Amino acid sequence: CKLPQLEKREMKILPQEKIGMYLAEAERRELLAAFYLELTTGLRRGELLALQWTDLDVENMTISVSKQVNRINGELVVSQPKTPNSIRKLAIPQRAVELLVEEHAKHPHSPYLFVSPKTDTMFDSDSFRHTHKKILKAIGAENIRFHDIRHTFATLSLKYGVDVKTLSGALGHYSAGFTLNTYTHATAGMKRDAADTIGSVISQTMQPAKIVGEGRMMPSAPLRCFPDLSAFGPRFGSSEKRQNAASLF
């Protein structure tokens, strides 16, 4: 007999117009560094909370992802990720580095980057998820999962021109094909943009050439119609200054 197919959970994202409010509320709760890093890397929750100070390379502006934290039998357990693809090094924005350095200065004796303000120990994953829910409620946003912040990062990355292979590596996926299948809602728009672009270019070449001089023909100038990505600020994985990222966050 044929096994029934598993029903996919609907993917949702944080609307782009809500991102600034989301981060402002996180800052009000003194948790800006964690949520800013999440929105600019798309880490899994367990990966984010398992980060240690030694995972941050301030000079090269990277973080190394090699651990995850899960609750097992009521205890927080740090372990290696389940797949080799999840072990990776990510470039992060300069502003993220600055926020992480400031965060570490608040609790210099802790090995972890993010420490619970209530317990002064590693952030409990369930508590962190509840904080995310409280932030959404405070800003009047739809109640989405914390994992949907990861989807938000991926969707915005594709929307603003990050290539699928680079994004797949950043997310820790086993293949670019899996990333494409996961984010078909975003790549459909990319296909439409590509079709419109090449259509405009070909149509431009069909315009009548200009006649100059003694009957000589001069072709019209090619149309430059590639998408304008300036609204996004820094490209994924770049080290641009914080003011370039202000338009997004």
Side-chain angles (χ1 to χ4, degrees):
C1 63
K2 188 176 180 180
L3 294 174
Q5 291 186 346
L6 294 176
E7 184 179 352
K8 279 189 174 182
R9 297 189 64 172
E10 182 183 0
M11 183 187 300
K12 298 180 180 180
I13 66 170
L14 183 66
Q16 192 166 343
E17 64 271 15
K18 292 283 188 180
I19 290 178
M21 299 168 62
Y22 183 86
L23 290 175
E25 182 63 21
E27 184 174 22
R28 191 183 72 78
R29 297 169 182 269
E30 298 186 354
L31 293 170
L32 177 59
F35 287 98
Y36 186 95
L37 184 64
E38 177 58 29
L39 275 164
T40 54
T41 60
L43 291 173
R44 301 176 180 93
R45 182 176 36 154
E47 295 172 339
L48 180 72
L49 299 180
L51 286 174
Q52 296 187 350
W53 174 246
T54 53
D55 294 323
L56 174 65
D57 185 333
V58 175
E59 182 178 353
N60 294 309
M61 293 191 292
T62 63
I63 54 169
S64 297
V65 182
S66 60
K67 301 173 289 298
Q68 62 181 4
V69 60
N70 292 296
R71 182 171 289 282
I72 301 176
N73 297 326
E75 298 290 334
L76 292 176
V77 178
V78 177
S79 60
Q80 283 192 335
K82 294 180 179 179
T83 65
N85 298 296
S86 296
I87 300 175
R88 57 205 189 277
K89 180 177 289 189
L90 303 177
I92 60 175
Q94 180 175 326
R95 180 56 177 152
V97 174
E98 294 169 354
L99 288 171
L100 292 174
V101 171
E102 293 170 7
E103 180 67 22
H104 181 66
K106 299 176 184 177
H107 42 80
H109 302 297
S110 173
Y112 294 101
L113 275 177
F114 307 118
V115 175
S116 170
K118 292 184 178 180
T119 64
D120 203 32
T121 58
M122 174 191 284
F123 226 119
D124 180 279
S125 54
D126 290 335
S127 176
F128 194 78
R129 176 172 56 85
H130 289 314
T131 299
H132 159 73
K133 298 288 187 183
K134 291 177 181 177
I135 291 175
L136 292 175
K137 184 176 181 180
I139 66 174
E142 182 182 359
N143 184 19
I144 62 175
R145 301 170 301 161
F146 181 79
H147 196 73
D148 289 324
I149 300 299
R150 174 175 165 89
H151 295 324
T152 301
F153 159 77
T155 300
L156 288 176
S157 295
L158 289 171
K159 177 181 178 180
Y160 288 104
V162 176
D163 66 273
V164 174
K165 184 174 179 59
T166 298
L167 177 61
S168 180
L171 292 171
H173 287 168
Y174 64 86
S175 73
F178 177 81
T179 306
L180 277 172
N181 290 334
T182 302
Y183 297 103
T184 52
H185 67 286
T187 55
M190 294 169 63
K191 292 176 183 177
R192 169 48 50 201
D193 290 341
D196 290 343
T197 296
I198 192 62
S200 297
V201 171
I202 297 302
S203 295
Q204 180 70 14
T205 65
M206 297 173 65
Q207 291 184 8
K210 297 177 181 178
I211 300 178
V212 295
E214 300 177 355
R216 288 180 292 122
M217 306 294 286
M218 184 176 72
S220 301
L223 178 65
R224 298 185 181 275
C225 55
F226 294 99
D228 178 15
L229 305 180
S230 61
F232 181 62
R235 290 295 298 272
F236 173 81
S238 70
S239 59
E240 296 291 335
K241 301 297 183 181
R242 83 176 69 170
Q243 56 264 34
N244 291 337
S247 59
L248 176 60
F249 297 112

